[in-house]
Amino acid sequence: MKPDKQGDAPGESPQRMKRKEYDAELEKLHVELVKLQMWIVAKKLKVCVVFEGRDTAGKGGTIKAITERVSPRIFRVAALPAPTEREKTQMYFQRYMQHLPSGGEFVIFDRSWYNRAGVERVMGFTSESKVRKFLRATPLVEAAIVQSGIILLKYWLEVSEEEQTRRLKDRATDGRKLWKLSPMDLKSYGRWYDYSRARDDMFAATDSPHAPWYVARTDDKRRGRLNIIRHLLDKIPYEELPREKFSVPKRQKRGDYVEPDYPYKYVKEQY
């Protein structure tokens, strides 16, 4: 894996981050994300973040870490299913473009138009000629996106072969994660180097000055999440907006209100 052009070259991974340290750092970043949210709304900014990477690289967990303390009305996640028969007849980018942000929105693509350069290509769901057309067109499409005023950030989450194997085995034995293990994951697992070649071609064609790729190592999921959140905060200029002083208003008096004698159906308290 080559180093990020604007970051440090990959070296020996540090010890995995402890949960307590992670929670403390994530809390600080959540505060900043809320400040960013208020700035985006006030200034009508349009932010689009694309997450790509190998299976088990940690895209879902990273997205959850970003969105769990902000408003889902402002921070929207676009995780598109397989295209419908109608969508298959459309211009390839069409079904993705409708999910781009309007003013005051932050949209996250959990996989994106880059499906064509990755899973569709490797698993034989599209032709090589269509892949080539996609790779030629994408920098032009992304230039138009950026020129429209959208802040576009693209992240590739990189996981090692050993860690991917460990995570797949964990999904197979953890009842909470079974839904994450699909037949497609298992087919993809055996094609590590096909995915590597597809990734390399994708970077060579679409790592542009106006829409560069940023690579995050995610063998340690906690460090990876924190590094990505910190990076995107640094890439989006924002300020903390002044807030009005908060005071709890007085409640109205009971007056003539009487609690009804109603047979409420309470949830059984088992815990």
Side-chain angles (χ1 to χ4, degrees):
M1 187 70 218
K2 294 181 180 179
D4 180 352
K5 292 179 181 178
Q6 300 179 10
D8 297 326
E12 186 176 350
S13 298
Q15 183 179 10
R16 291 186 184 272
M17 179 174 276
K18 302 295 184 183
R19 182 80 201 195
K20 185 176 181 181
E21 181 185 0
Y22 169 74
D23 287 342
E25 293 300 322
L26 184 59
E27 182 177 346
K28 297 175 188 176
L29 294 176
H30 279 159
V31 171
E32 293 304 313
L33 285 169
V34 171
K35 294 177 184 177
L36 173 61
Q37 172 182 282
M38 297 174 70
W39 182 260
I40 287 172
V41 172
K43 302 300 180 180
K44 300 295 183 185
L45 293 185
K46 299 177 289 185
V47 181
C48 178
V49 179
V50 169
F51 283 108
E52 295 289 340
R54 300 180 189 272
D55 293 322
T56 79
K59 296 180 290 296
T62 300
I63 292 170
K64 181 179 179 181
I66 293 170
T67 59
E68 62 184 346
R69 295 293 182 176
V70 291
S71 170
R73 293 186 297 274
I74 309 303
F75 280 65
R76 291 195 291 109
V77 178
L80 276 60
T84 64
E85 290 303 314
R86 178 176 181 272
E87 288 172 333
K88 288 178 182 178
T89 68
Q90 296 174 345
M91 182 184 76
Y92 178 72
F93 291 96
Q94 188 171 339
R95 76 187 192 114
Y96 295 99
M97 296 302 102
Q98 62 185 313
H99 295 280
L100 289 174
S102 300
E105 292 183 337
F106 186 116
V107 174
I108 299 172
F109 279 92
D110 183 359
R111 293 197 181 275
S112 64
W113 45 93
Y114 283 101
N115 275 341
R116 173 135 296 178
V119 65
E120 288 188 16
R121 183 184 196 182
V122 173
M123 302 308 295
F125 297 149
T126 192
S127 67
E128 198 61 24
S129 64
K130 287 184 178 179
V131 172
R132 292 299 169 191
K133 289 178 182 177
F134 168 82
L135 293 176
R136 289 195 299 269
T138 298
L140 300 175
V141 173
E142 291 178 348
I145 291 173
V146 173
Q147 289 165 9
S148 74
I150 293 175
I151 298 171
L152 177 61
L153 295 172
K154 303 186 304 189
Y155 291 100
W156 175 270
L157 279 59
E158 186 66 25
V159 65
S160 67
E161 294 179 72
E162 297 77 15
E163 182 62 15
Q164 186 187 57
T165 300
R166 189 195 68 78
R167 291 178 186 176
L168 278 174
K169 289 181 177 179
D170 182 52
R171 288 181 179 183
T173 57
D174 189 334
R176 300 166 298 174
K177 300 177 181 179
L178 289 176
W179 64 274
K180 293 184 175 183
L181 190 62
S182 69
M184 185 60 65
D185 293 332
L186 298 178
K187 290 180 182 178
S188 298
Y189 174 79
R191 302 189 180 185
W192 177 272
Y193 291 105
D194 286 343
Y195 272 101
S196 294
R197 294 184 187 95
R199 176 203 61 198
D200 296 346
D201 284 351
M202 182 184 76
F203 276 21
T206 65
D207 185 19
S208 61
H210 56 270
W213 278 104
Y214 297 104
V215 179
R217 290 185 295 157
T218 56
D219 273 14
D220 184 336
K221 289 183 178 181
R222 292 168 183 168
R223 292 186 191 278
R225 292 168 191 166
L226 297 178
N227 288 330
I228 290 169
I229 296 173
R230 182 68 268 170
H231 186 273
L232 71 83
L233 286 168
D234 290 340
K235 286 294 177 181
I236 307 172
Y238 71 98
E239 299 175 15
E240 181 177 4
L241 294 172
R243 293 177 292 170
E244 296 182 5
K245 290 185 178 181
F246 175 78
S247 60
V248 180
K250 291 183 178 180
R251 278 213 179 110
Q252 64 184 146
K253 295 182 179 180
R254 177 186 291 269
D256 59 355
Y257 176 77
V258 178
E259 291 284 350
D261 182 16
Y262 186 83
Y264 292 111
K265 299 175 181 66
Y266 287 101
V267 173
K268 186 177 179 179
E269 296 179 357
Q270 302 182 68
Y271 301 96

